[in-house]
């Protein structure tokens, strides 16, 4: 099985849609994805993700199932330094790196800032949403990995596509790979309409672990001569 995550295009957050550039990115992504063999498609309920998906769905004649748990991470925390509520990432390194809990996959929600809001409850809902979806395909969570039900009867390759957001995607990756989302949020960037792929590996038949094969690939933008958006990034992205 492959899980293919696509971040929405360059966003117009005020309208919860895409900018003119974002629509160009989505069109190029749709061209790229047209040749993919896809089993099922899932989408965030937010407008910018739906808009990105719409270009591919129109081109392919497919439909997507909307999952509420794929919306952008729904909880904000209170930042005393800013005096307002904000997403639970984009913190200065001198602030978050001094608290060891952030590096722990099981304890990161216990960090002082995370406890100012129901971050753990939101994260658990996202993880449960993914686990329930994978269970439909025969992958049952077992500690830190998955048991594949009836492996001898079902070896058909499945590719699932998710149109969603940076924050929730990295949270899901943290759950699947056993890495604290706080580390992923601060250490990795995925550009608008980028493609990230996690594939299941079975070193022992029937025991599956999801491994990142591709992270934040924007080949379709390079080929379409469209610059990579820096939305969510604090320096200029590599354009080579």
């Amino acid at each position: 099985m492959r899980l293919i995550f696509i971040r929405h295009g360059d966003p117009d957050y005020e309208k919860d849609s895409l900018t003119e550039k974002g629509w160009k990115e989505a069109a190029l992504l749709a061209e790229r994805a047209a040749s993919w063999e896809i089993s099922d498609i899932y989408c965030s309920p937010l407008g910018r993700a739906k808009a990105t998906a719409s270009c591919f769905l129109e081109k392919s004649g497919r439909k997507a199932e909307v999952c509420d748990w794929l919306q952008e991470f729904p909880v904000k925390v209170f930042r005393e330094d800013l005096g307002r509520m904000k997403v639970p990432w984009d913190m200065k390194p001198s602030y978050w790196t001094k608290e060891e809990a952030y590096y722990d996959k099981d304890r990161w929600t216990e960090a002082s800032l995370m406890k100012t809001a129901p971050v753990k409850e939101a994260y658990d809902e996202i993880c449960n949403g993914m686990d329930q979806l994978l269970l439909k395909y025969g992958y049952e969570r077992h500690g830190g990995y998955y048991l594949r039900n009836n492996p001898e009867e079902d070896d058909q390759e499945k590719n699932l596509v998710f149109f969603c957001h940076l924050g929730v995607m990295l949270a899901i990756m943290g759950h699947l790979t056993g890495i604290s989302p706080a580390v992923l949020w601060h250490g990795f960037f995925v550009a608008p309409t980028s493609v990230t792929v996690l594939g299941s590996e079975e070193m022992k038949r029937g025991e599956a672990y999801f491994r990142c094969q591709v992270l934040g690939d924007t080949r379709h933008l390079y080929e379409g001569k469209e610059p990579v958006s820096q939305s969510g990034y604090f320096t200029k992205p590599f354009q080579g």
Side-chain angles (χ1 to χ4, degrees):
M1 173 178 282
R2 292 188 186 89
L3 310 178
I4 304 171
F5 293 93
I6 298 171
R7 186 187 172 194
H8 59 75
D10 189 62
D12 182 333
Y13 286 117
E14 184 175 346
K15 297 179 179 178
D16 188 22
S17 185
L18 303 180
T19 63
E20 181 179 352
K21 172 176 172 48
W23 284 108
K24 292 179 182 177
E25 295 172 349
L28 290 170
L29 183 279
E31 290 287 340
R32 174 181 180 178
S35 62
W36 295 352
E37 294 185 6
I38 296 172
S39 304
D40 293 300
I41 306 166
Y42 299 92
C43 186
S44 157
L46 300 185
R48 53 195 183 273
K50 285 185 172 180
T52 305
S54 69
C55 294
F56 171 69
L57 298 176
E58 181 178 355
K59 186 173 184 64
S60 64
R62 299 287 299 271
K63 293 184 178 181
E65 179 179 336
V66 174
C67 299
D68 287 342
W69 53 270
L70 276 176
Q71 67 180 290
E72 183 56 295
F73 201 89
V75 172
K76 294 185 177 182
V77 294
F78 182 71
R79 292 278 298 274
E80 289 187 358
D81 57 326
L82 301 176
R84 61 185 175 89
M85 304 297 286
K86 200 176 185 303
V87 293
W89 55 86
D90 291 346
M91 293 180 279
K92 294 178 181 178
S94 59
Y95 177 84
W96 76 270
T97 58
K98 66 184 179 183
E99 195 162 352
E100 291 185 2
Y102 282 116
Y103 292 92
D104 191 313
K105 69 179 180 64
D106 298 316
R107 294 181 53 245
W108 71 274
T109 57
E110 298 175 13
S112 55
L113 183 62
M114 300 299 107
K115 293 174 74 173
T116 65
V119 172
K120 184 180 188 306
E121 290 79 0
Y123 179 59
D124 287 346
E125 184 175 351
I126 292 167
C127 296
N128 290 335
M130 176 55 73
D131 285 345
Q132 289 301 310
L133 179 64
L134 291 175
L135 189 58
K136 289 172 49 179
Y137 296 91
Y139 288 77
E140 183 176 1
R141 185 81 176 186
H142 184 77
Y145 65 99
Y146 293 82
L147 296 175
R148 186 160 66 93
N149 298 329
N150 301 318
E152 292 80 13
E153 299 178 12
D154 185 11
D155 276 328
Q156 182 180 359
E157 184 178 278
K158 297 180 179 67
N159 294 316
L160 310 184
V161 173
F162 301 85
F163 287 90
C164 55
H165 313 262
L166 181 151
V168 70
M169 188 202 85
L170 292 177
I172 292 170
M173 284 185 63
H175 176 59
L176 295 176
T177 62
I179 300 173
S180 163
V183 174
L184 294 175
W185 283 336
H186 291 93
F188 294 85
F189 172 68
V190 291
T193 69
S194 65
V195 176
T196 295
V197 182
L198 274 71
S200 63
E201 286 189 338
E202 296 185 20
M203 293 185 178
K204 179 180 178 181
R205 191 169 180 80
E207 296 183 355
Y209 189 84
F210 286 92
R211 189 174 189 181
C212 185
Q213 298 177 343
V214 177
L215 180 68
D217 184 87
T218 52
R219 182 172 67 251
H220 53 287
L221 299 181
Y222 296 135
E223 294 175 351
K225 302 187 185 308
E226 182 67 29
V228 177
S229 169
Q230 69 179 60
S231 178
Y233 197 46
F234 294 98
T235 188
K236 186 177 180 181
F238 177 65
Q239 302 288 348

